[in-house]
Amino acid sequence: MEQTAWKVGELARRTGLTVRTLHHWEERGLIVPSRRTAAGHRLYDDRDVRRVYEVVALRELGLSLEAIAEVLAPDRDRLEGILSAHLTQVEARLVALRDLRTTLAALVAGLRNSTTPGPSDLMGLIDEVSKMTETFNNYFTDEQLAALEARRQELGEDTIRAAEREWPELIAAVQAEIDAGTDPSSPRARALAARWGELLESFHGGDPGLREGLYRMRDENADEVLSRGGPTDEQIDYVRRAGVTGV
Amino acid sequence: MEQTAWKVGELARRTGLTVRTLHHWEERGLIVPSRRTAAGHRLYDDRDVRRVYEVVALRELGLSLEAIAEVLAPDRDRLEGILSAHLTQVEARLVALRDLRTTLAALVAGLRNSTTPGPSDLMGLIDEVSKMTETFNNYFTDEQLAALEARRQELGEDTIRAAEREWPELIAAVQAEIDAGTDPSSPRARALAARWGELLESFHGGDPGLREGLYRMRDENADEVLSRGGPTDEQIDYVRRAGVTGV
DNA sequence: CTAGGAACTCACGTCGCGTGAGGTGCAAGC
DNA sequence: GCTTGCACCTCACGCGACGTGAGTTCCTAG
């Protein structure tokens, strides 16, 4: 009449855990089997099994074993407090990780198509990129950054990288027309200006706030932008005269 | 003529690290001071100091000491590879953490204004919430979820929580009017419908995609929604007849 | 010559287990 | 009864990046 007793191996298989994990949880006082055989083999009854599943669920929420022990203690009222404390901590980590991702992505991109050949002074590069992303963040609200995030996800990494690779070419082409004295209203100049506008559009997606922030950033950090291979005032002016829409 | 030699304590103060950390980095082969005094005290010269700053910078990127050692090795070409590998890993963690945050937030919200009084079966609650957020994710594209994210950040947590608390009241009020036989075109009914529309609007922000996804989700999971305190078909119909804009 | 601050070298603790090592329990086949 | 083989048992070390003593020696100022 009682099938309700499992040994560790069975329990481990049924729960997808390892025997060692169950031992460890017992050491920490989380799951202590209610009985043992004469030989000392652990016997788990169905209450124990339920508890195991609870621990699994809580562990998937990222709680520490200590916190889980606290939650599973007889006074379950602590659940909400612990969870919301954990949530705040997770959110902090999330923010930090997001910033880190941005910095790393900029660094990798900077290394990949770096104008400077070899980063012999890697500290300088890192500093530079960090400062740049910091500056960048200053020109957009959190909301706009989230929108940018969404756009990036939508476009896909490859598209973005392709655009980043295209900019230097486009800038060089514009400079070539300037040097050649081509009239800004010529078809060639207009084509370049059109492409220029498209690339910008692929960044801000038509959002006026983003577009304006981008312009402000360029205007107020012209030197920085220039040293990173950005366009000169002359180039921008040329494109503006060649283009139709505001650039 | 040479001030260019620091002992650990000085270096630690100047870099904001601890002495123990510098010792540890030495054990791992990262920063081995180029000289020692006769008594065995470490002496760091300026090349060592530069290296320390490099390690600091790389550590801030979240690299392991092992990876840093690899990056700092004579062949610096590995930098890009290591960083981009790290980036992929960071991105994976970011995705996981985002999901976790969503689940946790839903759980905490569910506990805070839970219709069910005490979660005696916390596993059931967790399962339920996990399943719900999973379902939720099925009705929106990644892009839409990012947009939702942006909106939430914009509104602020308090506003959202207030809205969540308001829904049950509003639904109850609507039901009261139905029970009382109030005409849907009456001012009272219209006022409720207007508020209803506002709360919905605060969710989807006017985005047609979000609005449509929300409706689809409700239609296809009516039972689920109902059991979580959502509105009945009758209530929705009443509000639709009372309101002017599509609800 | 002494005080005390700074330096030194072990070495254990953290967190959640993985991974042996070395020994016992138990059912089946000989 | 004896072996085989598997499941179980209890230590105990290892990971990563240090924190935190503990016990000892060096150095400088009074």
Side-chain angles (χ1 to χ4, degrees), chain B residues 23-70:
Chain B
H23 285 176
H24 184 61
W25 288 1
E26 184 177 344
E27 286 173 21
R28 298 286 146 151
L30 289 177
I31 306 288
V32 181
S34 23
R35 289 198 308 143
R36 290 228 183 186
T37 69
H41 290 196
R42 293 164 174 82
L43 289 179
Y44 298 86
D45 66 14
D46 45 3
R47 278 175 313 150
D48 296 328
V49 175
R50 243 202 313 278
R51 231 177 123 90
V52 167
Y53 279 113
E54 291 182 346
V55 174
V56 169
L58 290 168
R59 193 186 55 164
E60 272 167 15
L61 293 177
L63 291 184
S64 67
L65 294 191
E66 192 185 348
I68 293 178
E70 210 169 344

Side-chain angles (χ1 to χ4, degrees), chain B:
Chain B
M1 65 181 183
E2 67 294 317
Q3 191 65 295
T4 64
W6 296 272
K7 304 176 77 175
V8 278
E10 296 173 279
L11 185 54
R13 266 195 308 281
R14 294 169 57 94
T15 55
L17 302 168
T18 69
V19 171
R20 177 67 178 105
T21 299
L22 288 168
H23 285 176
H24 184 61
W25 288 1
E26 184 177 344
E27 286 173 21
R28 298 286 146 151
L30 289 177
I31 306 288
V32 181
S34 23
R35 289 198 308 143
R36 290 228 183 186
T37 69
H41 290 196
R42 293 164 174 82
L43 289 179
Y44 298 86
D45 66 14
D46 45 3
R47 278 175 313 150
D48 296 328
V49 175
R50 243 202 313 278
R51 231 177 123 90
V52 167
Y53 279 113
E54 291 182 346
V55 174
V56 169
L58 290 168
R59 193 186 55 164
E60 272 167 15
L61 293 177
L63 291 184
S64 67
L65 294 191
E66 192 185 348
I68 293 178
E70 210 169 344
V71 169
L72 288 187
D75 61 335
R76 304 247 162 157
D77 304 348
R78 306 193 48 67
L79 177 60
E80 184 191 324
I82 292 175
L83 280 191
S84 65
H86 184 52
L87 175 59
T88 351
Q89 192 215 336
V90 164
E91 278 175 338
R93 270 170 32 199
L94 194 58
V95 170
L97 205 56
R98 249 198 304 249
D99 288 358
L100 177 58
R101 196 263 317 261
T102 308
T103 306
L104 270 174
L107 251 177
V108 170
L111 282 176
R112 201 158 293 183
N113 43 16
S114 61
T115 44
T116 61
S120 52
D121 61 337
L122 99 101
M123 224 182 74
L125 179 62
I126 293 178
D127 275 7
E128 207 176 331
V129 167
S130 305
K131 205 159 44 185
M132 202 184 65
T133 62
E134 198 180 327
T135 306
F136 191 85
N137 285 350
N138 283 342
Y139 283 90
F140 300 99
T141 67
D142 284 0
E143 183 199 344
Q144 288 175 326
L145 289 172
L148 268 177
E149 183 56 33
R151 274 195 62 69
R152 295 203 157 180
Q153 213 168 359
E154 187 183 355
L155 288 176
E157 199 185 343
D158 295 341
T159 314
I160 292 172
R161 228 179 285 161
E164 274 170 6
R165 272 197 302 271
E166 192 175 343
W167 269 115
E169 300 171 20
L170 186 56
I171 289 174
V174 167
Q175 186 57 46
E177 299 302 333
I178 294 176
D179 291 345
T182 313
D183 188 324
S185 60
S186 73
R188 280 231 299 284
R190 281 185 182 282
L192 289 176
R195 185 62 191 144
W196 188 291
E198 277 174 30
L199 281 184
L200 274 184
E201 170 91 14
S202 78
F203 173 82
H204 58 61
D207 183 314
L210 287 180
R211 199 179 52 195
E212 206 238 337
L214 184 62
Y215 292 166
R216 270 201 313 127
M217 190 173 73
R218 203 219 79 97
D219 288 348
E220 296 172 18
N221 300 60
D223 296 351
E224 264 296 302
V225 171
L226 259 181
S227 75
R228 300 216 121 261
T232 64
D233 283 338
E234 187 188 14
Q235 288 157 357
I236 292 180
D237 187 54
Y238 185 84
V239 170
R240 198 167 282 160
R241 278 184 291 141
V244 183
T245 54
V247 164

